[in-house]
């Protein structure tokens, strides 16, 4: 999944959105696992932690972009990693300068 912002304010907003999503996933995972038996809670906790970590990492990447002078920047989230991108349809990792 590529997420891309086209201005400084939208880069900062995308960072906040990823951070908020990670917080919601973490809280929701905890609340959802409370009524489950041990194994259900265990697996729910693992899956929500993995997903929340991806969003926390994406938020960090967008915060790094926000301190640059770029007008457009983004992040690509895959099953195995998260990394910065320089264009909307990019599949290559960019260097944040």
């Amino acid at each position: 999944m590529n997420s891309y912002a086209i201005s400084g304010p939208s880069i900062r907003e995308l960072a906040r959105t990823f951070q908020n999503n990670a917080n919601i996933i973490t809280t929701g995972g905890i609340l959802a696992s409370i009524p489950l038996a041990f194994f259900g809670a265990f697996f729910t906790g693992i899956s929500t932690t993995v997903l929340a970590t991806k969003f926390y990492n994406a938020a960090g990447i967008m915060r790094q972009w926000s301190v640059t002078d770029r007008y457009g920047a983004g992040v690509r989230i895959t099953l195995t990693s998260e990394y910065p991108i320089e264009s909307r349809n990019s599949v290559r990792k960019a260097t944040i300068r």
Side-chain angles (χ1 to χ4, degrees):
M1 171 183 87
N2 286 358
S3 295
Y4 193 78
I6 58 171
S7 68
S10 63
I11 290 171
R12 290 185 293 279
E13 182 60 31
L14 190 53
R16 280 191 296 273
T17 299
F18 280 128
Q19 182 71 41
N20 290 340
N21 287 342
N23 293 340
I24 290 167
I25 290 167
T26 301
T27 303
I30 292 168
L31 293 175
S33 67
I34 289 172
L36 300 175
F38 173 76
F39 289 111
F42 178 74
F43 290 115
T44 300
I46 288 174
S47 61
T48 57
T49 300
V50 169
L51 186 56
T53 300
K54 290 193 165 297
F55 282 114
Y56 283 127
N57 292 344
I61 290 168
M62 293 311 296
R63 281 193 296 275
Q64 289 175 352
W65 276 125
S66 72
V67 297
T68 67
D69 58 353
R70 290 190 55 94
Y71 292 105
V75 64
R76 180 174 177 84
I77 301 173
T78 67
L79 289 175
T80 57
S81 66
E82 312 75 41
Y83 54 85
I85 57 173
E86 289 183 332
S87 67
R88 189 178 316 265
N89 297 318
S90 181
V91 294
R92 295 186 183 173
K93 183 177 179 180
T95 302
I96 300 175
R97 300 177 211 146

